[in-house]
Amino acid sequence: MSSGNERPGELRKRLAARLASSTRYQPLQEIAHGAMGRILKVRDLELGREVAMKVVDPGEGGERLLARFLEEAQ
Protein backbone atom coordinates (compact mmCIF):
# COMPACT_ATOMS: atom_id res chain seq x y z
CA MET A 1 0.00 0.00 0.00
CA SER A 2 1.10 3.52 -0.68
CA SER A 3 1.92 6.11 1.89
CA GLY A 4 -0.22 9.17 1.28
CA ASN A 5 2.93 11.06 0.25
CA GLU A 6 3.68 9.09 -2.92
CA ARG A 7 3.10 11.08 -6.11
CA PRO A 8 0.50 9.61 -8.51
CA GLY A 9 3.08 9.15 -11.29
CA GLU A 10 5.33 7.13 -8.98
CA LEU A 11 2.39 5.03 -7.83
CA ARG A 12 1.34 4.31 -11.42
CA LYS A 13 4.86 3.14 -12.24
CA ARG A 14 4.94 0.90 -9.16
CA LEU A 15 1.52 -0.60 -9.94
CA ALA A 16 2.48 -1.16 -13.58
CA ALA A 17 5.67 -2.93 -12.46
CA ARG A 18 3.69 -5.14 -10.08
CA LEU A 19 1.22 -6.08 -12.82
CA ALA A 20 4.05 -6.66 -15.30
CA SER A 21 5.75 -9.06 -12.88
CA SER A 22 2.53 -10.99 -12.28
CA THR A 23 2.56 -14.57 -13.49
CA ARG A 24 -1.24 -14.74 -13.60
CA TYR A 25 -2.34 -11.54 -15.36
CA GLN A 26 -1.11 -10.29 -18.72
CA PRO A 27 -2.01 -6.62 -19.27
CA LEU A 28 -3.64 -5.96 -22.65
CA GLN A 29 -4.91 -2.38 -22.63
CA GLU A 30 -6.40 0.41 -20.54
CA ILE A 31 -10.18 0.53 -20.88
CA ALA A 32 -10.88 3.64 -18.81
CA HIS A 33 -9.52 5.85 -16.04
CA GLY A 34 -11.05 8.11 -13.45
CA ALA A 35 -10.66 9.60 -9.98
CA MET A 36 -10.03 6.26 -8.25
CA GLY A 37 -7.70 4.69 -10.78
CA ARG A 38 -7.80 2.73 -14.01
CA ILE A 39 -9.74 -0.15 -15.51
CA LEU A 40 -7.49 -2.51 -17.44
CA LYS A 41 -8.29 -5.34 -19.79
CA VAL A 42 -6.04 -8.23 -18.76
CA ARG A 43 -5.75 -11.87 -19.68
CA ASP A 44 -6.11 -14.22 -16.72
CA LEU A 45 -3.64 -16.93 -17.67
CA GLU A 46 -4.99 -19.40 -15.08
CA LEU A 47 -8.59 -19.13 -16.29
CA GLY A 48 -7.67 -18.63 -19.95
CA ARG A 49 -9.91 -15.62 -20.48
CA GLU A 50 -9.91 -11.84 -20.64
CA VAL A 51 -11.17 -9.97 -17.59
CA ALA A 52 -11.37 -6.38 -16.38
CA MET A 53 -9.12 -5.32 -13.51
CA LYS A 54 -9.51 -2.15 -11.48
CA VAL A 55 -6.22 -0.67 -10.31
CA VAL A 56 -6.60 1.85 -7.50
CA ASP A 57 -4.50 4.99 -7.74
CA PRO A 58 -5.13 6.61 -4.37
CA GLY A 59 -2.87 9.61 -5.02
CA GLU A 60 -3.80 12.24 -2.47
CA GLY A 61 -6.90 10.35 -1.23
CA GLY A 62 -4.83 7.51 0.23
CA GLU A 63 -6.68 5.48 2.84
CA ARG A 64 -10.07 7.06 2.13
CA LEU A 65 -10.05 6.06 -1.55
CA LEU A 66 -8.75 2.59 -0.75
CA ALA A 67 -11.60 2.10 1.76
CA ARG A 68 -14.09 3.31 -0.88
CA PHE A 69 -12.66 0.89 -3.41
CA LEU A 70 -12.91 -2.06 -1.00
CA GLU A 71 -16.50 -1.11 -0.14
CA GLU A 72 -17.36 -0.92 -3.84
CA ALA A 73 -15.77 -4.31 -4.49
CA GLN A 74 -17.75 -5.96 -1.67
Side-chain angles (χ1 to χ4, degrees):
M1 182 174 352
S2 165
S3 71
N5 300 328
E6 188 170 16
R7 292 190 317 221
E10 293 170 350
L11 181 59
R12 281 190 195 96
K13 288 178 188 175
R14 196 165 53 81
L15 292 172
R18 178 183 279 175
L19 182 58
S21 68
S22 169
T23 58
R24 179 169 182 172
Y25 300 104
Q26 174 187 17
L28 300 175
Q29 71 182 77
E30 182 175 305
I31 298 170
H33 64 275
M36 286 183 65
R38 301 178 296 147
I39 306 294
L40 304 177
K41 179 190 219 180
V42 300
R43 179 141 187 93
D44 184 326
L45 300 174
E46 288 184 20
L47 297 178
R49 65 181 183 155
E50 292 178 1
V51 297
M53 174 184 286
K54 188 167 193 172
V55 179
V56 176
D57 182 5
E60 293 182 27
E63 295 294 326
R64 183 182 55 79
L65 281 181
L66 184 56
R68 183 174 145 203
F69 170 74
L70 293 173
E71 181 179 318
E72 181 182 298
Q74 293 171 350

Coordinates of all heavy atoms in Angstrom, one line a residue:
M1 N 0.8 -1.2 0.0 CA 0.0 0.0 0.0 C 0.9 1.2 0.0 O 2.0 1.2 0.5 CB -0.9 0.0 1.2 CG -1.8 1.2 1.2 SD -3.1 1.3 2.4 CE -3.2 -0.1 3.3
S2 N 0.4 2.3 -0.6 CA 1.1 3.5 -0.7 C 1.0 4.4 0.6 O 0.0 4.4 1.2 CB 0.5 4.3 -1.9 OG 0.9 5.6 -1.8
S3 N 2.1 5.1 0.9 CA 1.9 6.1 1.9 C 1.2 7.3 1.2 O 1.3 7.4 0.0 CB 3.3 6.5 2.4 OG 4.0 7.3 1.4
G4 N 0.5 8.1 1.9 CA -0.2 9.2 1.3 C 0.7 10.2 0.6 O 0.2 11.1 -0.1
N5 N 2.0 10.1 0.8 CA 2.9 11.1 0.2 C 3.5 10.7 -1.1 O 4.2 11.5 -1.7 CB 4.1 11.2 1.2 CG 3.6 11.7 2.6 OD1 2.7 12.4 2.7 ND2 4.3 11.3 3.6
E6 N 3.1 9.5 -1.6 CA 3.7 9.1 -2.9 C 3.0 9.8 -4.0 O 1.7 9.9 -4.1 CB 3.5 7.6 -3.1 CG 4.2 7.0 -4.3 CD 4.2 5.5 -4.2 OE1 3.4 4.9 -3.5 OE2 5.0 4.9 -5.0
R7 N 3.7 10.4 -5.0 CA 3.1 11.1 -6.1 C 2.4 10.1 -7.0 O 2.8 9.0 -7.2 CB 4.2 11.8 -6.9 CG 4.7 13.0 -6.1 CD 5.6 13.9 -6.9 NE 6.5 13.1 -7.8 CZ 7.7 13.4 -8.0 NH1 8.3 14.4 -7.5 NH2 8.4 12.7 -8.9
P8 N 1.3 10.5 -7.7 CA 0.5 9.6 -8.5 C 1.3 9.0 -9.6 O 1.2 7.8 -9.9 CB -0.6 10.5 -9.1 CG -0.8 11.6 -8.0 CD 0.6 11.8 -7.5
G9 N 2.2 9.7 -10.2 CA 3.1 9.1 -11.3 C 4.0 8.0 -10.8 O 4.1 7.0 -11.5
E10 N 4.5 8.2 -9.6 CA 5.3 7.1 -9.0 C 4.5 5.9 -8.7 O 4.9 4.8 -8.9 CB 6.0 7.6 -7.7 CG 7.0 8.7 -8.0 CD 7.5 9.4 -6.7 OE1 6.9 9.2 -5.6 OE2 8.4 10.2 -6.8
L11 N 3.3 6.1 -8.2 CA 2.4 5.0 -7.8 C 2.0 4.3 -9.1 O 2.0 3.0 -9.1 CB 1.1 5.5 -7.1 CG 0.1 4.5 -6.7 CD1 0.8 3.5 -5.8 CD2 -1.1 5.1 -6.0
R12 N 1.7 5.0 -10.2 CA 1.3 4.3 -11.4 C 2.5 3.4 -11.9 O 2.3 2.3 -12.3 CB 1.0 5.3 -12.5 CG -0.4 5.9 -12.3 CD -0.7 6.7 -13.6 NE -1.9 7.5 -13.2 CZ -1.8 8.8 -12.8 NH1 -0.7 9.4 -12.7 NH2 -2.9 9.5 -12.5
K13 N 3.7 3.9 -11.8 CA 4.9 3.1 -12.2 C 5.0 1.9 -11.4 O 5.3 0.8 -11.9 CB 6.1 4.0 -12.2 CG 6.2 5.0 -13.2 CD 7.5 5.8 -13.0 CE 7.5 7.0 -14.0 NZ 8.7 7.9 -13.8
R14 N 4.8 2.0 -10.1 CA 4.9 0.9 -9.2 C 3.9 -0.1 -9.4 O 4.1 -1.3 -9.5 CB 4.9 1.4 -7.7 CG 5.4 0.4 -6.7 CD 5.7 1.0 -5.4 NE 4.6 1.8 -4.8 CZ 3.5 1.2 -4.2 NH1 3.4 0.0 -4.0 NH2 2.6 2.0 -3.7
L15 N 2.6 0.3 -9.7 CA 1.5 -0.6 -9.9 C 1.7 -1.3 -11.3 O 1.5 -2.5 -11.4 CB 0.2 0.1 -9.9 CG -0.3 0.7 -8.6 CD1 -1.5 1.5 -8.7 CD2 -0.6 -0.5 -7.6
A16 N 2.2 -0.6 -12.3 CA 2.5 -1.2 -13.6 C 3.6 -2.2 -13.5 O 3.5 -3.3 -14.1 CB 2.9 -0.1 -14.6
A17 N 4.6 -2.0 -12.7 CA 5.7 -2.9 -12.5 C 5.1 -4.2 -11.8 O 5.5 -5.3 -12.1 CB 6.8 -2.3 -11.6
R18 N 4.3 -4.0 -10.8 CA 3.7 -5.1 -10.1 C 2.9 -6.0 -11.0 O 3.0 -7.2 -11.0 CB 2.8 -4.7 -8.9 CG 2.2 -5.8 -8.2 CD 1.3 -5.4 -7.1 NE 2.0 -5.1 -5.9 CZ 1.5 -4.6 -4.8 NH1 0.2 -4.3 -4.8 NH2 2.3 -4.3 -3.8
L19 N 2.0 -5.3 -11.9 CA 1.2 -6.1 -12.8 C 2.1 -6.8 -13.9 O 1.9 -7.9 -14.2 CB 0.2 -5.1 -13.5 CG -0.7 -5.8 -14.5 CD1 -1.5 -6.9 -13.8 CD2 -1.6 -4.7 -15.1
A20 N 3.2 -6.1 -14.3 CA 4.0 -6.7 -15.3 C 4.8 -7.9 -14.8 O 5.1 -8.8 -15.5 CB 5.0 -5.6 -15.8
S21 N 5.0 -7.9 -13.5 CA 5.8 -9.1 -12.9 C 4.8 -10.2 -12.5 O 5.3 -11.2 -12.0 CB 6.6 -8.6 -11.7 OG 5.7 -8.2 -10.6
S22 N 3.5 -10.0 -12.6 CA 2.5 -11.0 -12.3 C 2.7 -12.2 -13.2 O 2.9 -12.0 -14.4 CB 1.1 -10.4 -12.4 OG 0.2 -11.4 -12.3
T23 N 2.5 -13.4 -12.7 CA 2.6 -14.6 -13.5 C 1.2 -15.0 -13.9 O 1.0 -15.9 -14.7 CB 3.3 -15.7 -12.8 OG1 2.6 -16.0 -11.5 CG2 4.7 -15.4 -12.5
R24 N 0.1 -14.4 -13.3 CA -1.2 -14.7 -13.6 C -1.9 -13.8 -14.6 O -2.7 -14.3 -15.5 CB -2.1 -14.7 -12.3 CG -3.5 -15.1 -12.6 CD -4.3 -15.4 -11.4 NE -5.7 -15.8 -11.8 CZ -6.6 -16.2 -10.9 NH1 -6.3 -16.4 -9.7 NH2 -7.8 -16.5 -11.4
Y25 N -1.6 -12.5 -14.5 CA -2.3 -11.5 -15.4 C -1.4 -10.9 -16.4 O -0.4 -10.4 -16.1 CB -3.0 -10.4 -14.5 CG -4.0 -11.0 -13.5 CD1 -3.6 -11.1 -12.2 CD2 -5.2 -11.4 -13.9 CE1 -4.5 -11.6 -11.2 CE2 -6.1 -11.9 -13.0 CZ -5.8 -12.0 -11.7 OH -6.7 -12.5 -10.8
Q26 N -1.9 -10.9 -17.6 CA -1.1 -10.3 -18.7 C -1.9 -9.0 -19.1 O -3.0 -9.1 -19.6 CB -1.0 -11.2 -19.9 CG -0.4 -10.6 -21.1 CD -0.5 -11.6 -22.3 OE1 -1.3 -12.5 -22.3 NE2 0.3 -11.3 -23.3
P27 N -1.3 -7.8 -18.9 CA -2.0 -6.6 -19.3 C -2.2 -6.5 -20.8 O -1.2 -6.8 -21.5 CB -1.1 -5.5 -18.7 CG 0.2 -6.1 -18.5 CD 0.0 -7.6 -18.3
L28 N -3.4 -6.1 -21.2 CA -3.6 -6.0 -22.6 C -3.8 -4.5 -23.0 O -3.2 -4.0 -24.0 CB -4.9 -6.8 -23.0 CG -4.8 -8.3 -22.8 CD1 -6.1 -9.0 -23.1 CD2 -3.6 -8.9 -23.6
Q29 N -4.7 -3.8 -22.3 CA -4.9 -2.4 -22.6 C -5.7 -1.7 -21.5 O -6.3 -2.4 -20.7 CB -5.7 -2.2 -23.9 CG -7.2 -2.6 -23.9 CD -7.9 -2.5 -25.2 OE1 -7.7 -3.4 -26.0 NE2 -8.7 -1.5 -25.3
E30 N -5.6 -0.4 -21.5 CA -6.4 0.4 -20.5 C -7.8 0.6 -21.2 O -7.9 1.0 -22.3 CB -5.7 1.7 -20.2 CG -6.5 2.6 -19.2 CD -5.8 3.8 -18.8 OE1 -4.6 3.7 -18.4 OE2 -6.4 4.9 -19.0
I31 N -8.8 0.3 -20.4 CA -10.2 0.5 -20.9 C -10.7 1.9 -20.5 O -11.3 2.6 -21.3 CB -11.1 -0.5 -20.3 CG1 -10.7 -1.9 -20.7 CG2 -12.6 -0.3 -20.6 CD1 -11.4 -3.1 -20.0
A32 N -10.4 2.3 -19.3 CA -10.9 3.6 -18.8 C -10.0 4.1 -17.6 O -9.3 3.3 -17.0 CB -12.4 3.6 -18.4
H33 N -10.2 5.4 -17.2 CA -9.5 5.9 -16.0 C -10.4 6.9 -15.4 O -11.2 7.6 -16.1 CB -8.1 6.4 -16.3 CG -8.1 7.5 -17.2 ND1 -8.1 7.4 -18.6 CD2 -8.0 8.9 -17.0 CE1 -8.0 8.6 -19.2 NE2 -8.0 9.5 -18.2
G34 N -10.2 7.1 -14.1 CA -11.0 8.1 -13.4 C -10.4 8.5 -12.2 O -9.2 8.3 -12.0
A35 N -11.2 9.1 -11.2 CA -10.7 9.6 -10.0 C -10.0 8.5 -9.1 O -9.1 8.8 -8.4 CB -11.8 10.3 -9.2
M36 N -10.5 7.3 -9.1 CA -10.0 6.3 -8.2 C -8.9 5.5 -8.9 O -8.2 4.8 -8.1 CB -11.1 5.3 -7.9 CG -12.1 5.9 -6.9 SD -13.3 4.7 -6.3 CE -12.3 3.5 -5.5
G37 N -8.8 5.5 -10.2 CA -7.7 4.7 -10.8 C -8.0 4.4 -12.2 O -8.6 5.2 -12.9
R38 N -7.6 3.2 -12.6 CA -7.8 2.7 -14.0 C -8.5 1.4 -14.1 O -8.4 0.6 -13.2 CB -6.4 2.6 -14.7 CG -5.7 3.9 -14.7 CD -4.3 3.8 -15.3 NE -3.5 2.9 -14.5 CZ -2.5 2.1 -15.0 NH1 -2.3 2.0 -16.3 NH2 -1.8 1.3 -14.2
I39 N -9.2 1.2 -15.2 CA -9.7 -0.1 -15.5 C -8.9 -0.7 -16.6 O -8.7 -0.1 -17.7 CB -11.2 -0.1 -16.0 CG1 -12.1 0.7 -14.9 CG2 -11.8 -1.5 -16.3 CD1 -12.2 0.0 -13.6
L40 N -8.3 -1.9 -16.4 CA -7.5 -2.5 -17.4 C -8.2 -3.8 -18.0 O -8.8 -4.5 -17.2 CB -6.1 -2.9 -16.8 CG -5.3 -1.8 -16.2 CD1 -4.1 -2.4 -15.6 CD2 -5.0 -0.7 -17.2
K41 N -7.9 -4.0 -19.2 CA -8.3 -5.3 -19.8 C -7.0 -6.2 -19.7 O -6.0 -5.8 -20.1 CB -8.7 -5.2 -21.3 CG -9.0 -6.5 -21.9 CD -9.1 -6.2 -23.4 CE -10.2 -6.9 -24.1 NZ -10.2 -6.5 -25.6
V42 N -7.2 -7.3 -19.0 CA -6.0 -8.2 -18.8 C -6.4 -9.6 -19.1 O -7.6 -10.0 -19.2 CB -5.5 -8.2 -17.3 CG1 -5.1 -6.8 -16.9 CG2 -6.6 -8.7 -16.3
R43 N -5.5 -10.5 -19.4 CA -5.8 -11.9 -19.7 C -5.4 -12.6 -18.4 O -4.2 -12.6 -18.0 CB -4.9 -12.4 -20.9 CG -5.2 -13.8 -21.1 CD -5.2 -14.1 -22.6 NE -5.6 -15.5 -22.9 CZ -6.8 -15.9 -23.1 NH1 -7.8 -15.0 -23.1 NH2 -7.1 -17.1 -23.3
D44 N -6.3 -13.4 -17.9 CA -6.1 -14.2 -16.7 C -5.6 -15.5 -17.3 O -6.3 -16.3 -17.9 CB -7.4 -14.4 -16.0 CG -7.2 -15.3 -14.7 OD1 -6.4 -16.2 -14.7 OD2 -8.0 -15.0 -13.7
L45 N -4.3 -15.8 -17.1 CA -3.6 -16.9 -17.7 C -4.1 -18.2 -17.0 O -4.0 -19.3 -17.6 CB -2.1 -16.8 -17.6 CG -1.6 -15.5 -18.4 CD1 -0.1 -15.3 -18.2 CD2 -1.9 -15.6 -19.9
E46 N -4.5 -18.2 -15.8 CA -5.0 -19.4 -15.1 C -6.4 -19.8 -15.6 O -6.6 -21.0 -15.7 CB -5.0 -19.2 -13.6 CG -3.6 -19.2 -13.0 CD -3.7 -19.1 -11.4 OE1 -4.7 -19.4 -10.8 OE2 -2.6 -18.7 -10.9
L47 N -7.2 -18.8 -15.8 CA -8.6 -19.1 -16.3 C -8.7 -19.2 -17.8 O -9.7 -19.7 -18.4 CB -9.6 -18.1 -15.7 CG -9.7 -18.1 -14.2 CD1 -10.7 -17.0 -13.8 CD2 -10.2 -19.4 -13.7
G48 N -7.7 -18.6 -18.5 CA -7.7 -18.6 -19.9 C -8.7 -17.7 -20.6 O -9.3 -18.1 -21.6
R49 N -8.9 -16.6 -19.9 CA -9.9 -15.6 -20.5 C -9.5 -14.2 -20.2 O -8.7 -13.9 -19.3 CB -11.3 -15.9 -19.9 CG -11.4 -15.7 -18.5 CD -12.8 -16.0 -18.0 NE -12.9 -15.7 -16.5 CZ -14.0 -15.4 -15.9 NH1 -15.2 -15.5 -16.6 NH2 -14.1 -15.2 -14.6
E50 N -10.1 -13.3 -20.9 CA -9.9 -11.8 -20.6 C -10.9 -11.4 -19.6 O -12.0 -11.7 -19.6 CB -10.1 -11.0 -21.9 CG -9.0 -11.4 -22.9 CD -9.2 -10.6 -24.3 OE1 -10.2 -9.8 -24.4 OE2 -8.4 -10.9 -25.2
V51 N -10.4 -10.5 -18.7 CA -11.2 -10.0 -17.6 C -10.8 -8.5 -17.4 O -9.8 -8.0 -17.9 CB -11.0 -10.7 -16.2 CG1 -11.4 -12.2 -16.4 CG2 -9.5 -10.7 -15.8
A52 N -11.7 -7.8 -16.7 CA -11.4 -6.4 -16.4 C -10.8 -6.4 -15.0 O -11.1 -7.1 -14.1 CB -12.6 -5.5 -16.4
M53 N -9.8 -5.5 -14.8 CA -9.1 -5.3 -13.5 C -9.1 -3.8 -13.2 O -8.7 -3.0 -14.0 CB -7.7 -5.8 -13.6 CG -6.9 -5.6 -12.3 SD -5.2 -6.1 -12.5 CE -5.3 -7.9 -12.4
K54 N -9.6 -3.5 -12.0 CA -9.5 -2.1 -11.5 C -8.2 -2.0 -10.7 O -8.0 -2.8 -9.8 CB -10.7 -1.8 -10.6 CG -10.8 -0.3 -10.3 CD -12.2 0.0 -9.7 CE -12.4 1.5 -9.6 NZ -13.7 1.8 -9.3
V55 N -7.5 -1.0 -11.0 CA -6.2 -0.7 -10.3 C -6.4 0.7 -9.6 O -6.6 1.7 -10.3 CB -5.0 -0.6 -11.3 CG1 -3.7 -0.3 -10.6 CG2 -4.9 -1.9 -12.1
V56 N -6.4 0.6 -8.3 CA -6.6 1.8 -7.5 C -5.4 2.7 -7.5 O -4.2 2.2 -7.4 CB -6.9 1.5 -6.0 CG1 -7.1 2.7 -5.2 CG2 -8.2 0.7 -6.0
D57 N -5.6 4.0 -7.8 CA -4.5 5.0 -7.7 C -4.9 6.0 -6.7 O -5.5 7.0 -7.0 CB -4.4 5.6 -9.1 CG -3.3 6.7 -9.2 OD1 -2.5 6.8 -8.2 OD2 -3.1 7.3 -10.2
P58 N -4.6 5.7 -5.4 CA -5.1 6.6 -4.4 C -4.6 8.0 -4.4 O -5.2 8.9 -3.9 CB -4.7 5.9 -3.1 CG -3.6 5.0 -3.4 CD -3.8 4.7 -4.9
G59 N -3.4 8.3 -5.0 CA -2.9 9.6 -5.0 C -3.0 10.3 -3.7 O -2.5 9.8 -2.7
E60 N -3.7 11.5 -3.7 CA -3.8 12.2 -2.5 C -4.9 11.7 -1.5 O -4.9 12.0 -0.4 CB -4.1 13.7 -2.8 CG -2.9 14.4 -3.5 CD -3.2 15.8 -3.8 OE1 -4.0 16.4 -3.1 OE2 -2.6 16.3 -4.8
G61 N -5.8 10.9 -2.0 CA -6.9 10.4 -1.2 C -6.5 9.3 -0.3 O -7.1 9.0 0.7
G62 N -5.4 8.5 -0.6 CA -4.8 7.5 0.2 C -5.8 6.5 0.8 O -6.5 5.8 0.1
E63 N -5.9 6.5 2.1 CA -6.7 5.5 2.8 C -8.2 5.6 2.5 O -8.9 4.6 2.4 CB -6.4 5.6 4.3 CG -5.0 5.3 4.8 CD -4.7 3.8 4.6 OE1 -5.6 3.0 4.7 OE2 -3.5 3.5 4.3
R64 N -8.6 6.8 2.4 CA -10.1 7.1 2.1 C -10.5 6.4 0.8 O -11.5 5.7 0.7 CB -10.4 8.6 2.1 CG -11.9 8.9 1.9 CD -12.1 10.4 1.9 NE -11.3 11.1 0.9 CZ -11.6 11.1 -0.4 NH1 -12.6 10.5 -0.9 NH2 -10.8 11.8 -1.2
L65 N -9.7 6.6 -0.3 CA -10.0 6.1 -1.5 C -9.9 4.5 -1.5 O -10.7 3.8 -2.2 CB -9.2 6.7 -2.7 CG -9.6 8.0 -3.1 CD1 -8.7 8.5 -4.3 CD2 -11.0 8.0 -3.6
L66 N -8.9 4.0 -0.8 CA -8.8 2.6 -0.8 C -9.9 2.0 0.0 O -10.5 1.0 -0.5 CB -7.5 2.2 0.0 CG -7.1 0.7 0.0 CD1 -7.1 0.1 -1.4 CD2 -5.8 0.5 0.7
A67 N -10.4 2.6 1.0 CA -11.6 2.1 1.8 C -12.8 2.1 0.9 O -13.6 1.2 0.8 CB -11.8 2.9 3.0
R68 N -13.0 3.2 0.1 CA -14.1 3.3 -0.9 C -14.0 2.2 -1.9 O -15.0 1.6 -2.3 CB -14.1 4.7 -1.5 CG -15.2 4.9 -2.5 CD -15.2 6.4 -2.9 NE -15.7 6.4 -4.3 CZ -15.4 7.3 -5.2 NH1 -14.7 8.4 -4.8 NH2 -15.9 7.3 -6.4
F69 N -12.8 1.9 -2.4 CA -12.7 0.9 -3.4 C -13.1 -0.5 -2.8 O -13.8 -1.3 -3.5 CB -11.2 0.9 -3.9 CG -10.9 -0.4 -4.7 CD1 -11.3 -0.4 -6.0 CD2 -10.1 -1.4 -4.2 CE1 -11.1 -1.6 -6.8 CE2 -9.8 -2.5 -5.0 CZ -10.3 -2.6 -6.3
L70 N -12.6 -0.8 -1.6 CA -12.9 -2.1 -1.0 C -14.4 -2.2 -0.7 O -15.0 -3.3 -1.0 CB -12.1 -2.2 0.3 CG -10.6 -2.4 0.1 CD1 -9.9 -2.4 1.5 CD2 -10.3 -3.6 -0.7
E71 N -15.0 -1.1 -0.3 CA -16.5 -1.1 -0.1 C -17.2 -1.4 -1.5 O -18.1 -2.2 -1.5 CB -16.9 0.2 0.4 CG -18.4 0.3 0.7 CD -18.8 1.6 1.3 OE1 -18.1 2.1 2.2 OE2 -19.9 2.1 0.9
E72 N -16.8 -0.7 -2.5 CA -17.4 -0.9 -3.8 C -17.2 -2.4 -4.3 O -18.1 -3.0 -4.9 CB -16.7 0.0 -4.8 CG -17.2 0.0 -6.2 CD -16.5 0.9 -7.2 OE1 -16.6 2.1 -6.9 OE2 -15.9 0.4 -8.1
A73 N -16.0 -2.9 -4.1 CA -15.8 -4.3 -4.5 C -16.7 -5.3 -3.7 O -17.1 -6.3 -4.3 CB -14.3 -4.6 -4.3
Q74 N -16.9 -5.0 -2.5 CA -17.8 -6.0 -1.7 C -19.2 -5.9 -2.0 O -20.0 -6.7 -1.9 CB -17.6 -5.7 -0.2 CG -16.2 -6.0 0.3 CD -15.9 -5.6 1.7 OE1 -16.7 -4.8 2.3 NE2 -14.8 -6.0 2.2

